[in-house]
Amino acid sequence: MGMDEIKKTTFNILKQIAPEADEAQIELDENLREEVDLDSMDYLNFITKLGEQFKIEIPEADYQKIETLDELFTYIKTKIAV
Amino acid sequence: MGDINFTMPTLGADMDFGIVAKWYIKPGDKVEKGQMVAEIETSKSDIEIESFYTGEVKELLVEEGVKVAVGTPIAVFDVAGVEHEEKVKVTKPVLETTAEKEKAVPALKVKEPVDHSALVITPRAKRLMAQNQVDIKQVQSLKQEGIISGEDISSLLQGEIATPKVTKAEERQQVIAKLMQKSKQTIPHFYLEKEMELAQMMEWLEGANKDRSMQDRYLPAIAFIKVLAMALVKYPRFNGIYKDGHFIASEKINIGLIISLREGGLIAPALEEVDKKTLGQLMTEFRDLVTRAREGKLKRTEMESSTICLTNLGDQGADKVYGVIYPPQVAIVGTGQITKKVIKQGDNFIETPTCNWTLSVDHRVTDGHEGSMLLNKIQKLLDNPTKWAE
């Protein structure tokens, strides 16, 4: 799966959680939860849907590695490749 | 006979502008000196003005509802006795700037962001508002250099101007504001806070979540809800309502969760009988409650059954929150963000997770002593997850 598709799918999932989020306004190198105002339940739902969609497991311990969208895209790409 | 300007008179030292509220005359009318010709609205009151001349109305230069500066010609009279040479050149109201011109057109069509502090509501406007039960919020967008005139209100009542559209979020905010105002005005709040150490709880959660599917992972928030409920079993005077001068303890521990809606506003549905449910059940119900709250599909009972509220602002990054009690409840608990703090343990310094818990309580029901006991109980439960976790 290419990076473009990863980004597109991720944004689609994000829109399900935060419909009002404006893709163009989200800074890719800023904390995603702050950028899109995700509380812990939103974030858990987001992570769960990412896991289902990309068929990957995201351990709780990895949350700190994927705080920004840039980090998340790279993380997903690496996980899928494994 | 000759033309003469009839100008906006000064009706008080502090009057800079006047609004022609009503013309009693029209072009072609004969007027006598001393005859009332118009009603002028000022920021202080409505005043009828009389003609200074006898003659005929030639032209009205200013429409009703328009505000003009003192001294501005508002009408032209053809007056007997005025020599041809004495004719005063008739001028239309001269407005200094484009902005001023815009303001001079039917005041009510002017819509600007409102600075409430600058709003002046004329007596006529106040009277009309009172008579027609018009709320200030309805007229706040009808601003004319800070003056809300009677004409503004009349137009509003006639539907000439669309009432500012109140969004659902604003409506909700107004409802919350009303309730919180009532709470603050009637409930003697007192506040306690305690920095809770979470090392044991976080370690337990981490261990439990390792074996759970992503969807079923426990959130610290759910542990907080459960711990609060277990502490309330021992200290029931924080769980119930205050009615007719008495506290009525609730048999059930239904925790109202303050949920922020994505389009704005808050809502506080209850997770019911929290003390009797497992963390797993609570997670499922919590997720369902948040989802339905945001879809606007909550049940009436969920909105009415809470016996105490918990507001968790940790996700938004606040260190602590001093909640306002949700009437007729008697307490609200607040939790801030989980942060790491360095503490001394034996000879070593270690990093440990902590979270500020606050307690807002109705002093008519209980006191700081009992509140401290409740907070201590919460800390003990946080230190012993096996007592409340499955």
Side-chain angles (χ1 to χ4, degrees), chain A residues 60, chain B residues 196-209 218-220 223-224 227 279 338-341 343 345 350-355 377-389:
Chain A
E60 212 174 18
Chain B
M196 303 289 184
E197 290 185 14
L198 305 179
Q200 302 300 323
M201 183 196 91
M202 294 304 281
E203 193 181 324
W204 187 90
L205 285 179
E206 202 177 308
N209 283 344
Y218 299 139
L219 295 171
F224 287 169
V227 164
L279 281 192
I338 297 172
T339 53
K340 295 224 167 140
K341 181 187 173 186
I343 60 164
Q345 197 175 61
I350 59 160
E351 213 179 40
T352 190
T354 63
C355 174
K377 179 65 182 171
I378 289 168
Q379 178 66 77
K380 281 180 189 167
L381 287 164
L382 291 168
D383 288 341
N384 291 284
T386 51
K387 288 197 172 177
W388 47 269

Side-chain angles (χ1 to χ4, degrees), chain A residues 19-20 36-37, chain B residues 167-176 258-268 293-296:
Chain A
E20 78 291 352
V36 193
D37 187 15
Chain B
T167 65
K168 278 191 175 177
E170 284 170 333
E171 260 177 37
R172 272 196 293 270
Q173 191 61 42
Q174 285 167 11
V175 172
I176 294 166
I258 312 295
I259 296 172
S260 64
L261 302 174
R262 299 210 70 88
E263 69 271 29
L266 302 170
I267 202 157
R294 291 185 175 158
E295 287 172 351

Side-chain angles (χ1 to χ4, degrees), chain B residues 322-367:
Chain B
Y322 301 97
V324 180
I325 297 167
Y326 194 94
Q329 293 167 26
V330 300
I332 180 169
V333 173
T335 52
Q337 70 171 330
I338 297 172
T339 53
K340 295 224 167 140
K341 181 187 173 186
V342 175
I343 60 164
K344 194 164 188 283
Q345 197 175 61
D347 292 335
N348 301 317
F349 287 94
I350 59 160
E351 213 179 40
T352 190
T354 63
C355 174
N356 288 305
W357 283 57
T358 57
L359 179 60
S360 311
V361 186
D362 185 338
H363 221 326
R364 295 171 299 184
V365 176
T366 185
D367 52 33

Side-chain angles (χ1 to χ4, degrees), chain B residues 178-287:
Chain B
K178 221 172 191 174
L179 193 65
M180 295 300 101
Q181 187 179 16
K182 181 185 170 193
S183 172
K184 278 289 197 174
Q185 284 173 344
T186 59
I187 302 176
H189 287 60
F190 72 87
Y191 308 92
L192 299 175
E193 64 180 80
K194 185 172 173 67
E195 186 179 39
M196 303 289 184
E197 290 185 14
L198 305 179
Q200 302 300 323
M201 183 196 91
M202 294 304 281
E203 193 181 324
W204 187 90
L205 285 179
E206 202 177 308
N209 283 344
K210 264 185 189 164
D211 302 326
R212 302 181 72 80
S213 67
M214 288 165 67
Q215 181 175 340
D216 294 331
R217 281 176 193 157
Y218 299 139
L219 295 171
I222 212 70
F224 287 169
I225 293 166
K226 176 74 177 183
V227 164
L228 173 61
M230 299 312 288
L232 290 170
V233 172
K234 188 167 173 66
Y235 294 98
R237 284 190 71 77
F238 300 88
N239 184 57
I241 61 168
Y242 188 84
K243 194 179 172 190
D244 301 329
H246 301 283
F247 170 66
I248 303 166
S250 171
E251 287 179 13
K252 294 180 178 176
I253 297 175
N254 300 336
I255 299 186
L257 304 172
I258 312 295
I259 296 172
S260 64
L261 302 174
R262 299 210 70 88
E263 69 271 29
L266 302 170
I267 202 157
L271 264 186
E272 298 180 354
E273 300 191 82
V274 175
D275 54 316
K276 295 189 169 69
K277 290 175 179 160
T278 64
L279 281 192
Q281 282 174 306
L282 292 172
M283 262 312 282
T284 305
E285 288 187 18
F286 183 32
R287 174 181 277 114

Side-chain angles (χ1 to χ4, degrees), chain B residues 20-68:
Chain B
V20 180
K22 192 165 183 56
W23 279 117
Y24 297 155
I25 53 173
K26 60 182 186 299
D29 284 357
K30 302 282 182 201
V31 290
E32 296 290 326
K33 187 176 178 183
Q35 178 187 337
M36 294 302 171
V37 293
E39 188 174 321
I40 302 297
E41 186 179 352
T42 73
S43 59
K44 295 279 175 61
S45 64
D46 295 344
I47 298 168
E48 286 186 317
I49 54 169
E50 72 273 19
S51 172
F52 309 128
Y53 317 102
T54 295
E56 186 181 320
V57 180
K58 200 168 178 188
E59 191 180 358
L60 299 181
L61 301 173
V62 173
E63 291 174 20
E64 289 180 353
V66 172
K67 182 186 70 176
V68 293

